[in-house]
Amino acid sequence: MELRHLRYFVAVAEQENVSRAALKLHVSQPGISRQIHDLEDEIGFQLFERSAKSVRLTRAGKVFLTEARVVLQHADEAVKKARVAAGETNGEINVGYAPSLTIQILPQALRKFQEQFPGVRVALHDLSTEEMLAQLGEKKLQVALTVRPPAKSLRGLKFEELARYEGCVAVAPKNPLAKLKFISLEQISREPLIAYSRKDYPEYHEMLERLFAPIGRKPRIVGEHDGVSSIVAAVAAGRGFALVPSCVASMVGPRLKLLSIKPALPAVPVVAIWRKESETEMVRHFIAAARQDS
């Protein structure tokens, strides 16, 4: 049994979905499934009850999850202490991010930051905007990369705009409307819409309400998902459209067609957010590395 087995197990247990866990860990889905099966073979009992759409912990799996988290926490603490003893640049920076909005920003930020601080560990956390703001307040995160939230949510926080992306409509390539170059709000309102979950992304649903209010209609939401990967899968399967930022083009490739909206929607602002009292040298350098013009 190796630490990676425990990390993969914890990720799948928390996500209750192998594909979401694989996306979070930046590994392939077959790879993470194979490691979980190897772990179960080694310990001699089943950790998950599996269905076509999700996985759930067995009774033994729930007990194992608690202990696995303790082991991983101790391992992380050991590495941190050893880094300090070895004389490396101290520390770790915890960064929350929205996958669909940072697909172009994050690789550049990580590359430039690690060039300046090779000894600092960047811990990435895939979270909703609500979760990022909460964890900034709890000092669990030093930086959050997400859509700009309402002003009332930014009290006590600093922010800097990093990029703006055009709002687009994602549609399956085989859909008849995929042949269009542009699509209107009236056309969108007549189609089934795939959205982020209201519980995790209330600001997304507020945006939809503001967007359709001028034409006197409400979006016909037929499915809600907690992440961009499941939204992409649902749209590719022909279940409906989705409103997404233009930057997801580099994520979806030929699986989806992105249509421009006419008249154009306000661009989506992506910002870095941090606590005023937590503005360390590492935080300033990470934000500088994330700027699209840097």
Side-chain angles (χ1 to χ4, degrees), residues 167-183 231-232 235-238 240-246 248-261:
C168 299
V169 172
V171 59
K174 293 183 179 180
N175 190 292
L177 294 178
K179 298 178 181 179
L180 300 176
K181 290 185 178 180
F182 306 103
I183 192 169
I231 287 179
V232 169
V235 175
F241 289 10
L243 288 170
V244 297
S246 58
V248 303
S250 54
M251 174 190 294
V252 301
R255 288 182 293 169
L256 301 181
K257 177 76 178 297
L258 298 186
L259 307 177
S260 295
I261 302 173

Side-chain angles (χ1 to χ4, degrees), residues 27 34 81 101 110 121 131 153 206 277:
V27 297
R34 184 173 60 254
K81 292 177 181 178
L101 294 172
L110 292 173
R121 178 175 180 262
E131 291 170 326
S153 301
E206 292 170 4
E277 63 269 30

Side-chain angles (χ1 to χ4, degrees), residues 95-222:
V95 178
Y97 72 103
S100 61
L101 294 172
T102 57
I103 191 168
Q104 295 177 356
I105 295 173
L106 201 52
Q108 167 191 289
L110 292 173
R111 184 180 67 255
K112 292 188 175 183
F113 181 79
Q114 298 288 195
E115 288 173 355
Q116 296 171 311
F117 293 89
V120 175
R121 178 175 180 262
V122 180
L124 297 176
H125 306 273
D126 176 356
L127 302 167
S128 70
T129 303
E130 294 277 305
E131 291 170 326
M132 287 188 229
L133 292 173
Q135 293 197 21
L136 282 170
E138 296 165 2
K139 298 183 180 180
K140 293 180 179 179
L141 294 180
Q142 283 74 58
V143 183
L145 307 178
T146 185
V147 66
R148 179 177 173 176
K152 63 182 180 181
S153 301
L154 292 168
R155 292 171 187 162
L157 301 172
K158 297 181 71 173
F159 73 93
E160 178 179 329
E161 186 172 303
L162 302 175
R164 281 179 173 258
Y165 297 111
E166 174 193 359
C168 299
V169 172
V171 59
K174 293 183 179 180
N175 190 292
L177 294 178
K179 298 178 181 179
L180 300 176
K181 290 185 178 180
F182 306 103
I183 192 169
S184 67
L185 284 177
E186 287 79 4
Q187 288 172 298
I188 299 170
S189 67
R190 294 193 292 267
E191 300 295 331
L193 192 66
I194 307 297
Y196 287 96
S197 66
R198 186 180 294 272
K199 177 183 176 182
D200 296 322
Y201 297 89
E203 76 283 354
Y204 182 83
H205 287 263
E206 292 170 4
M207 179 274 292
L208 289 179
E209 291 175 5
R210 291 195 305 270
L211 184 63
F212 287 92
I215 63 172
R217 297 189 181 184
K218 292 184 178 180
R220 188 159 67 91
I221 298 175
V222 297

